[in-house]
Amino acid sequence: MLDHWVVAKFGGTSVSSRENWHTIMGVCHRHLEAGRRPMIVCSALAGVSDSLEELIDKAPRGEHKPILKRIGDVHRELAANLEVNADTLIGPLFDELERLSRGAHLVGEVTPRLHARMMAVGELMATRLGAAFLSANGVSTQWQDAREYLVAEGGPLLNARQRYLSASCCYDAGGEMRAKCEALSGRVIVTQGFIASTASGDTVLLGRGGSDTSAAYFAAMLDAERLEIWTDVPGMFTANPHIVPSARLLKSLDYDEAQEITSMGAKVLHPRCLQPVRDSNIPIEIRCTNEPGIVGTVISADAPEINAQVKAVSTNTNVTVILMETLGMWQQVGFLADVFACFKKYGLSIDLVSTSETNVTVSLDNLANAMDTAILEALTAELECFSTVRRIDSCASVSLVGRDIRTILHRITPALVFFEEIPVHMVSQAANDLNVTFVIDQEHAARLVEHIHRELFENIRNPVVLGRTWEDIFDKEDPEDPLSGGGRWWIERREELVALAEEESPLFVYDEETLRGAAARLLAMNSPDRVFYAVKANWHPGILQIFHELGLGFECVSPGEIEHVFSLFPDIAPRRILFTPNFAPRAEYELAFERGGWVTLDNLYPLEQWPDVFAHRDIFVRIDPGRGRGHHDFVKTGGKQSKFGISLDLVDRLVELASRNETRIVGLHAHTGSGILSTGNWKETAGILASLLDRLPDVKALDLGGGFGVVEKPGQSPLDLVVVDAGLAEAKAAFPNVEIWIEPGRYLTAPAGVLLARVTQVKTKDDFHYVGIDTGMNTLIRPALYGAYHEIVNLSKWGSKKRISANIVGPICESGDVLGHERRIAAVDEGDVILIGTAGAYGRAMSSEYNRRLPAAEVMLPPRRG
Ligand code: LLP
């Protein structure tokens, strides 16, 4: 009967310690007990391949000795830990490496052939030590030289570099290999990844990441039951976890998706290793050597069918973009052929291509192409014969990967706001409909990945393919305080807050110092002449009192808000009130004029239908700047789809109507949206409004609206008011006689408010934890309405290391009553006080009595004494 085989590949870190070799031994035992014969394929020890490359670089100059010593020390140290004899096991290999280095020094160069021989020593030494350790511990082990089994495919077109340094091998199932291995007496075979031989016996390499490919060849040739890739992470994640700690484990993928994710930059698996196993329909399991209990990503033909979904945001940071511009390309036959021939000549494989009539832009993966400056320069020189060449080094590609990606592109719309600020060199949509890729400057890649990941995965509801988050698996603490602008004032006052909530819950608490701090920052800006607080964000009397004292005006959108302000401050100067309604009835405008506030009109209808209300009056007019911005579509208030403002092409009609009624337009207003973190927004609005000044000579003020965003979640950068101010200063300089007004809401109140609630019940259902609290969307509707993110912590257990991932839910009878999805918080007990951050704006203001549950009450926290 034929043996059942499993091939398990262990990467550099996985073979570098005694502990990990114990894990490898455990894996061997498990397979042997289950009746499977394991073939263990190993990489060189961690860091050794890099050292060998350095050796290859420096040996021709005679600088090899210290590097050789380093390589020897690393192996001797592991041998000592494994209690095996370094001298007998690796002595001869090390001597050979020394000889080869001396040879390189003598001839002053390292040929690709020599390069391959020197690199191979790393894998050979690692496997010698490991095999001896397994044998010494009673595992029936047989060391084998991979070069006896893996033979490189030759090819007349291959240059020496390709032949020796990035070879491919034949991997027919049912060949001799299986029979040979079955005949070996050792039950476990230990062999090397990365290396193979030519038909004539020369050593060749499979290219970087080639150990995965070796293992896949072996799996195919042995017709293995499965291929296990053991590495330092338990699988592929929805993004690089070092960039996005909340990235989720991908539990299952099909070969196409895995191919795409790995090709687009995920380092867990080398993309080349997929083809051999896919041809033989062998599943791949990715496992973590440090967490051997976790079943990681499984790649197979049987991945569950689910609707189109973005599976991962991959990034590749070693990308060069080459732009080739020619005027002669217009309808010219063969230009592309000429261009591509040059790349072929230098053995460079192109990743992405985009063409226009006069330009071809391509991206190259520097690592995959084993590219160096000399090659690039030679290529550029050649391309310059028929085009103007521009090269952009240090680029990165950021790809969204998933099946049928075109059908779900709309979901990334919010993430595209990012491109307002950074240039995109290329956009490409793969013909196989599995990825959409943006090529940008490398320095922005991490931020873009975070941004897109947040939009796509943050509030996703437990789909079958997504597992735990990386930070959950490795129980990493939250990153350092990401919330600036006083957003985490509550850390220092947490004991007071817990006591307050134990008295009364749920409860909004507002911090006076934070309110004052936000107002002070806005008032410190030089360009705005007047700041009106947008009362709709939060009309708590204590808050309005503070802003009143500080001299802010009040932007109101209803008679209710106007009367509220007058009832609190009966003596307020009426011109500190600005009325900015939308589709309001006639009587509301009459009331506002009567009260003496500024009135803003955002439609021509009132001027046409109720001219008497506006005759001989001074008014502001709200203009639609043509585009909206904001944290969600629902809060963007510009552009064709928006109900706000008068479009720019109706301004002539506006002028005519106004002059007919002797209505003076003394101010222009525009508000693009809410929760904006791009500094250019207000300057741009000012420019648009200023372009109308020629036609509106009475205008004395430009009101640029609110929208000033605050940091709500990790990864966001705070709005830099200094930059905003500088932008506005340019507008002021151009129009010195026109004032600038602003009307912020969120910026003034969001960070100052927290919502406290207490845990009612917990539940675990299908592996998902739910933490119930005593209020929900009736108090804070923003997560349900906009998918808004509010930081959530267990204040009663502050600092506790025991953490869980849970959906934080309210008591309302709606599935959308979730305040935070898959949040990591300290493990809860009934009655614990949960804090929900940045809840000072549009929290209580938007709450309801839905389900006849009263929303949270409010208190103002006085400044601390002393
Ligand atoms: N001015 C006008 C004309 C507005 O419509 C608004 C907000 C503001 C100023 C103040 O915007 P802020 O600075 O607060 O961004 N409920 C949403 C926000 C809606 C904002 C409506 N208008 C949320 O919870 O995110």
Side-chain angles (χ1 to χ4, degrees), residues 34 90 98 101 177 182 221 360 443 467 483 505 539 560 681 691 698 726 770 810 838 847:
I90 57 167
E98 230 167 3
S101 307
M177 171 167 178
E182 310 241 301
M221 288 155 79
V360 188
E443 63 190 279
L483 303 178
S505 169
W539 55 85
N681 176 65
S691 72
D698 296 326
Y770 294 87
T838 42
S847 61

Side-chain angles (χ1 to χ4, degrees), residues 83 90 102 139 187 204 286 382 441 452 537 570 609 825 831:
E83 296 172 65
I90 57 167
R102 278 203 307 272
V139 180
R187 304 301 293 158
V204 297
I286 302 173
E382 199 144 323
D441 290 334
I452 296 183
Q609 302 301 321
I825 60 167

Side-chain angles (χ1 to χ4, degrees), residues 534 536 622 631 671 674 707 743-746 782 786 842 846:
K536 64 178 89 57
R622 179 167 180 169
H631 68 80
H671 169 79
S674 193
E743 38 184 55
R746 182 188 316 273
R782 301 188 71 250
Y786 313 119
Y842 307 108
M846 294 177 79

Side-chain angles (χ1 to χ4, degrees), residues 443-561:
E443 63 190 279
H444 300 302
R447 263 176 58 224
L448 179 60
V449 171
E450 280 171 345
H451 204 79
I452 296 183
H453 192 271
R454 234 185 344 261
E455 295 299 343
L456 291 174
F457 295 101
E458 202 117 88
N459 287 328
I460 201 161
R461 308 262 164 81
N462 319 334
V464 279
V465 293
L466 298 188
R468 292 156 69 197
T469 66
W470 188 81
E471 58 192 349
D472 185 10
I473 295 170
F474 293 101
D475 202 17
K476 291 279 179 298
E477 278 292 320
D478 281 343
E480 269 296 283
D481 174 5
L483 303 178
S484 62
R488 274 179 146 197
W489 55 268
W490 42 264
I491 294 181
E492 283 181 16
R493 305 193 75 169
R494 62 185 181 275
E495 282 164 17
E496 266 172 275
L497 295 181
V498 169
L500 276 173
E502 281 171 356
E503 282 282 308
E504 178 174 9
S505 169
L507 189 65
F508 279 107
V509 183
Y510 305 127
D511 180 55
E512 188 174 331
E513 283 173 312
T514 307
L515 290 162
R516 288 183 185 276
R521 285 195 299 278
L522 286 171
L523 291 169
M525 288 165 74
N526 293 317
S527 305
D529 295 278
R530 298 188 68 178
V531 180
F532 291 81
Y533 169 57
V535 173
K536 64 178 89 57
N538 189 328
W539 55 85
H540 185 273
I543 293 179
L544 297 197
Q545 182 65 46
I546 292 170
F547 295 155
H548 182 56
E549 276 169 27
L550 292 173
L552 271 58
F554 296 100
E555 188 254 341
C556 302
V557 290
S558 68
E561 290 186 355

Side-chain angles (χ1 to χ4, degrees), residues 277-607:
V277 281
R278 165 200 232 143
D279 287 348
S280 310
N281 205 4
I282 298 169
I284 305 183
E285 272 185 36
I286 302 173
R287 307 289 292 251
C288 178
T289 318
N290 293 327
E291 300 276 346
I294 299 174
V295 178
T297 307
V298 178
I299 302 162
S300 71
D302 317 316
E305 284 275 323
I306 53 162
N307 293 338
Q309 184 195 327
V310 177
K311 295 276 175 57
V313 189
S314 302
T315 176
N316 193 356
T317 43
N318 264 296
V319 174
T320 298
V321 169
I322 300 181
L323 297 98
M324 291 149 283
E325 190 92 36
T326 174
L327 292 175
M329 186 179 157
W330 169 237
Q331 293 195 335
Q332 184 189 316
V333 174
F335 176 69
L336 285 178
D338 292 344
V339 166
F340 292 141
C342 281
F343 287 89
K344 182 174 174 184
K345 177 172 164 195
Y346 289 95
L348 296 173
S349 141
I350 292 171
D351 252 12
L352 307 169
V353 187
S354 124
T355 64
S356 75
E357 278 148 17
T358 57
N359 177 303
V360 188
T361 303
V362 302
S363 79
L364 304 170
D365 178 333
N366 301 351
L367 282 185
N369 279 307
M371 209 144 69
D372 56 33
T373 331
I375 295 184
L376 269 178
E377 265 153 27
L379 171 83
T380 310
E382 199 144 323
L383 289 168
E384 269 169 353
C385 298
F386 42 88
S387 62
T388 321
V389 181
R390 189 155 73 89
R391 207 174 80 205
I392 312 175
D393 296 323
S394 307
C395 293
S397 63
V398 173
S399 308
L400 309 185
V401 186
R403 189 161 291 292
D404 302 329
I405 195 110
R406 277 174 234 167
T407 59
I408 43 175
L409 274 182
H410 60 280
R411 287 194 215 148
I412 62 161
T413 323
L416 299 182
V417 172
F418 195 80
F419 297 122
E420 276 172 11
E421 287 165 41
I422 61 150
V424 190
H425 301 309
M426 271 181 100
V427 180
S428 125
Q429 175 254 315
N432 61 9
D433 207 7
L434 275 165
N435 85 62
V436 174
T437 298
F438 303 94
V439 182
I440 57 173
D441 290 334
Q442 202 167 8
E443 63 190 279
H444 300 302
R447 263 176 58 224
L448 179 60
V449 171
E450 280 171 345
H451 204 79
I452 296 183
H453 192 271
R454 234 185 344 261
E455 295 299 343
L456 291 174
F457 295 101
E458 202 117 88
N459 287 328
I460 201 161
R461 308 262 164 81
N462 319 334
V464 279
V465 293
L466 298 188
R468 292 156 69 197
T469 66
W470 188 81
E471 58 192 349
D472 185 10
I473 295 170
F474 293 101
D475 202 17
K476 291 279 179 298
E477 278 292 320
D478 281 343
E480 269 296 283
D481 174 5
L483 303 178
S484 62
R488 274 179 146 197
W489 55 268
W490 42 264
I491 294 181
E492 283 181 16
R493 305 193 75 169
R494 62 185 181 275
E495 282 164 17
E496 266 172 275
L497 295 181
V498 169
L500 276 173
E502 281 171 356
E503 282 282 308
E504 178 174 9
S505 169
L507 189 65
F508 279 107
V509 183
Y510 305 127
D511 180 55
E512 188 174 331
E513 283 173 312
T514 307
L515 290 162
R516 288 183 185 276
R521 285 195 299 278
L522 286 171
L523 291 169
M525 288 165 74
N526 293 317
S527 305
D529 295 278
R530 298 188 68 178
V531 180
F532 291 81
Y533 169 57
V535 173
K536 64 178 89 57
N538 189 328
W539 55 85
H540 185 273
I543 293 179
L544 297 197
Q545 182 65 46
I546 292 170
F547 295 155
H548 182 56
E549 276 169 27
L550 292 173
L552 271 58
F554 296 100
E555 188 254 341
C556 302
V557 290
S558 68
E561 290 186 355
I562 296 179
E563 293 310 329
H564 182 59
V565 172
F566 274 116
S567 72
L568 289 170
F569 319 116
D571 300 328
I572 189 170
R575 287 306 206 197
R576 277 176 70 183
I577 291 177
L578 176 66
F579 184 50
T580 320
N582 176 245
F583 291 101
R586 170 183 172 130
E588 292 191 6
Y589 295 96
E590 287 171 343
L591 174 108
F593 281 126
E594 220 167 88
R595 284 304 216 159
W598 292 107
V599 172
T600 309
L601 203 61
D602 90 328
N603 191 2
L604 297 183
Y605 184 96
L607 281 181

Side-chain angles (χ1 to χ4, degrees), residues 183-201:
L184 293 172
S185 57
R187 304 301 293 158
V188 173
I189 296 179
V190 173
T191 191
Q192 310 75 38
F194 189 45
I195 63 173
S197 64
T198 62
S200 54

